[in-house]
Amino acid sequence: MNSSTQMRAVTIPEFGGAEVLRVAGRPVPEPGPGQVAVDVAYAGANFAEILYRRGVVDVRLPFVPGIEVAGRIRAVGEGVEHLAVGQPVAALTIVDSGGYAEVAVTSADLVAPLDGLGLPMEVAAAVPSNSTTAFLVLDRVARIEPGQSVLVLAAAGGVGSQLGQAARLLGAGRVVGAVGSAAKIDTARSFGYDEVILRDRLADAGEFDIVVDMVGGPARRAGLDRLAPMGRLVVMGNASGAEDVGVPANELWFTNKTVSGFNLAAFSAAFPDETGRALRRAVAAAAAGELRVQVETLPLERAAEAHRRIESGTTTGKLVLAVAAP
């Protein structure tokens, strides 16, 4: 579609299962001051969009999900001078969402130029959320130091595939990944982990300076138990859908441990400049071959299939939706 006033988009007309997703016509958004509009070539598919669809996040319906895209600048808003119409970019659309569409609008701070990098658009669309998160979680939140040990509790998924590699780039010593099934072990190993174990064997994994948990439930408790003195547990998801796990403050006091949370949407809204720097760092690392990003593409019309596969817990690497692929 993508006429001057209308575009195609995948919408959430009502909360529910993957079957509620619909391709529909929507007005083309225009950038405001400090924003850019992007003609979307590819959009990353993420667990975050499933939370919107389920109604976990309170949004006004109909809602267009999509937290990351790659494409070309369509228009720039007032005050944007460092980006130009036609420029290839990767962008985080996470603050207001809207990436599952032919045109998406976001802050100019949350954009990474792709000029001259040789990074394929479909790969570029898979970098903004997971790879940026990996650098921010380890560097900004966990404050990793050279030689420290890292345990990632979902090592084969989208963000897990990036955390092990980012840990290496940031100077980690031992880097271990945990997965939910034996079928994922070889895939996780291919993302640079020294060792990959099953999550039900965490008790035998030893101690770590940093544990990153996007699983929740029993795995969160097990991850906390694996922290060495002065260790840091970073909570950044609850893919298991389990009930929240309480952590007694007195336990942290007596054991010299720290628990922190990280939410990319909230961080991007509060610290767009810092998020943008991390995004551009991630894009440069992917373009240089320092980050391996495994991508599988599906047409935009198969967004529901992408959601079902992510929810099943069987995906490895990253699913990307082809919106208007060149």
Side-chain angles (χ1 to χ4, degrees):
M1 190 177 296
N2 197 3
S3 68
S4 59
T5 60
Q6 288 287 304
M7 65 176 183
R8 283 187 317 138
V10 168
T11 67
I12 301 171
E14 60 182 308
F15 298 125
E19 70 279 357
V20 304
L21 296 176
R22 293 285 183 273
V23 177
R26 297 285 294 170
V28 172
E30 297 291 337
Q35 294 184 321
V36 298
V38 177
D39 281 321
V40 178
Y42 294 92
N46 298 274
F47 193 80
E49 289 122 20
I50 291 168
L51 298 180
Y52 289 123
R53 195 204 70 222
R54 292 175 178 172
V56 174
V57 182
D58 185 20
V59 295
R60 181 179 295 180
L61 301 179
F63 182 76
V64 179
I67 66 173
E68 60 183 341
V69 301
R72 291 185 177 274
I73 298 291
R74 176 187 181 92
V76 299
E78 181 183 350
V80 178
E81 299 178 350
H82 63 289
L83 297 167
V85 172
Q87 189 172 15
V89 295
L92 274 168
T93 51
I94 193 167
V95 175
D96 296 313
S97 213
Y100 287 15
E102 291 182 311
V103 181
V105 167
T106 191
S107 167
D109 291 330
L110 300 178
V111 172
L114 300 176
D115 313 64
L117 294 181
L119 191 64
M121 280 280 187
E122 64 269 28
V123 176
V127 170
S129 174
N130 293 337
S131 307
T132 302
T133 291
F135 280 112
L136 287 172
V137 162
L138 292 168
D139 198 13
R140 177 70 154 86
V141 183
R143 302 190 182 278
I144 190 171
E145 296 180 6
Q148 290 193 323
S149 55
V150 178
L151 171 65
V152 176
L153 296 186
V159 69
S161 73
Q162 301 302 288
L163 279 160
Q165 298 178 81
R168 282 274 179 247
L169 291 175
L170 293 169
R174 183 183 180 216
V175 184
V176 175
V179 293
S181 69
K184 293 186 176 183
I185 290 177
D186 288 344
T187 298
R189 281 183 178 144
S190 73
F191 292 121
Y193 289 96
D194 295 317
E195 181 184 354
V196 179
I197 60 176
L198 294 175
R199 281 197 293 271
D200 60 9
R201 299 297 301 274
L202 285 175
D204 303 323
E207 291 186 331
F208 295 86
D209 298 298
I210 297 167
V211 176
V212 183
D213 170 37
M214 58 286 275
V215 179
R220 182 161 299 163
R221 179 67 250 183
L224 183 64
D225 291 340
R226 298 276 58 77
L227 286 182
M230 299 306 295
R232 289 87 74 198
L233 170 67
V234 183
V235 175
M236 52 159 294
N238 187 38
S240 68
E243 291 294 321
D244 198 6
V245 175
V247 179
N250 281 350
E251 178 183 348
L252 303 179
W253 166 33
F254 283 117
T255 59
N256 292 299
K257 297 178 181 180
T258 298
V259 177
S260 299
F262 181 80
N263 179 284
L264 182 60
F267 192 92
S268 298
F271 307 104
D273 289 347
E274 186 172 357
T275 305
R277 287 194 297 272
L279 166 61
R280 292 183 283 277
R281 179 184 193 181
V283 165
E290 297 172 339
L291 285 179
R292 174 174 167 259
V293 183
Q294 178 179 307
V295 169
E296 179 184 350
T297 62
L298 295 171
L300 179 66
E301 292 78 8
R302 291 167 62 184
E305 177 185 335
H307 277 216
R308 290 188 188 99
R309 289 173 60 180
I310 293 170
E311 287 178 288
S312 73
T314 60
T315 56
T316 57
K318 186 65 173 280
L319 293 176
V320 171
L321 301 174
V323 180

